[in-house]
Amino acid sequence: DAMVIQNPRYQVTQFGKPVTLSCSQTLNHNVMYWYQQKSSQAPKLLFHYYDKDFNNEADTPDNFQSRRPNTSFCFLDIRSPGLGDAAMYLCATSRDLMASGTNEQFFGPGTRLTVL
Amino acid sequence: DQQVKQNSPSLSVQEGRISILNCDYTNSMFDYFLWYKKYPAEGPTFLISISSIKDKNEDGRFTVFLNKSAKHLSLHIVPSQPGDSAVYFCAASAGTGGFKTIFGAGTRLFVKA
């Protein structure tokens, strides 16, 4: 089945220790997104890639970076995690908006990050 | 600045009855609205959507209603089933905003058997 896969599902890191979360997709979608979701809050878009074109949200901290080496993979790097970065991180994909006429997104199961 | 608001954190409904989940938005530029459903330990999955040129879209037991003047949309589930118990997210996007979608905080629906 075509899907969005996130590894690991649970990640524990220490305060200030860099961490990388990964996402892969078999849907061959142009667009990939990273969201941060804290408990009982709305998923918040951090950035997205349209193919190799990176689009950062204005309020995304510099501490968060992303890489997309190819269509299938996208990484979220947190350079110096703080306690406030503990959250669920969701990866999503979508097809080209113009081609599909919709921006329905397909989500992975998320990675829950704990910062000690 | 919450542009998409779901004011009810939770809703409990008896099996077979109607579930109505509500969503309000503030940005008049939004022209496309979606509902996602999320089970525990899974990512959100797309449920139904509506374009701003329509006021109703129906898919089986699920109907979304859009009231642009009130900046309000609702999701109706009829009849509700225990398997519908999940968190429902309302989301909105503006064509001019590219791919950005704004989500609400979600409403947890409990359908009692």
Side-chain angles (χ1 to χ4, degrees):
Chain A
D1 283 342
M3 54 177 36
V4 181
I5 301 162
Q6 289 189 246
N7 285 308
R9 296 291 306 274
Y10 300 90
Q11 177 73 58
V12 180
T13 190
Q14 291 180 336
F15 183 94
K17 184 174 181 181
V19 65
T20 295
L21 309 181
S22 72
C23 177
S24 64
Q25 55 131 339
T26 59
L27 297 159
N28 203 32
H29 285 171
N30 298 87
V31 193
M32 294 188 77
Y33 310 78
W34 279 105
Y35 289 87
Q36 178 192 64
Q37 186 185 18
K38 297 186 177 180
S39 182
S40 301
Q41 295 184 21
K44 179 180 178 297
L45 182 65
L46 296 173
F47 24 60
H48 76 271
Y49 276 93
Y50 178 70
D51 291 329
K52 292 188 176 183
D53 184 21
F54 177 70
N55 298 271
N56 197 34
E57 292 301 305
D59 56 355
T60 298
D62 293 340
N63 197 25
F64 292 87
Q65 304 286 320
S66 186
R67 296 169 283 135
R68 189 179 186 185
N70 53 53
T71 301
S72 301
F73 286 87
C74 195
F75 300 98
L76 170 62
D77 300 309
I78 308 176
R79 294 192 296 187
S80 181
L83 298 179
D85 296 328
M88 176 70 80
Y89 290 88
L90 295 164
C91 175
T93 71
S94 68
R95 287 173 287 181
D96 182 279
L97 183 63
M98 295 302 291
S100 67
T102 171
N103 58 355
E104 171 192 346
Q105 296 179 25
F106 297 77
F107 284 84
T111 294
R112 182 166 296 282
L113 178 69
T114 300
V115 182
L116 300 177
Chain B
D1 176 25
Q2 281 185 281
Q3 297 186 60
V4 177
K5 296 181 183 179
Q6 294 178 256
N7 291 318
S8 298
S10 65
L11 174 67
S12 186
V13 171
Q14 197 70 34
E15 181 180 10
R17 306 294 291 267
I18 184 171
S19 295
I20 300 176
L21 296 94
N22 293 303
C23 178
D24 297 296
Y25 61 95
T26 57
N27 189 341
S28 58
M29 298 299 292
F30 287 146
D31 57 6
Y32 198 78
F33 304 89
L34 309 96
W35 285 93
Y36 287 84
K37 176 178 177 179
K38 184 184 183 304
Y39 291 119
E42 296 181 12
T45 56
F46 170 75
L47 185 59
I48 192 169
S49 62
I50 188 167
S51 164
S52 60
I53 63 173
K54 295 184 176 182
D55 54 19
K56 176 183 174 181
N57 188 27
E58 190 172 353
D59 183 2
R61 296 186 296 115
F62 302 91
T63 303
V64 57
F65 295 91
L66 175 62
N67 182 334
K68 289 189 291 293
S69 61
K71 293 191 177 70
H72 176 84
L73 63 155
S74 60
L75 174 68
H76 293 210
I77 307 173
V78 182
S80 302
Q81 299 174 354
D84 296 328
S85 297
V87 177
Y88 290 80
F89 291 99
C90 172
S93 65
T96 55
F99 296 98
K100 183 168 183 173
T101 300
I102 307 295
F103 283 80
T107 296
R108 184 177 296 277
L109 174 65
F110 300 93
V111 180
K112 297 175 288 187

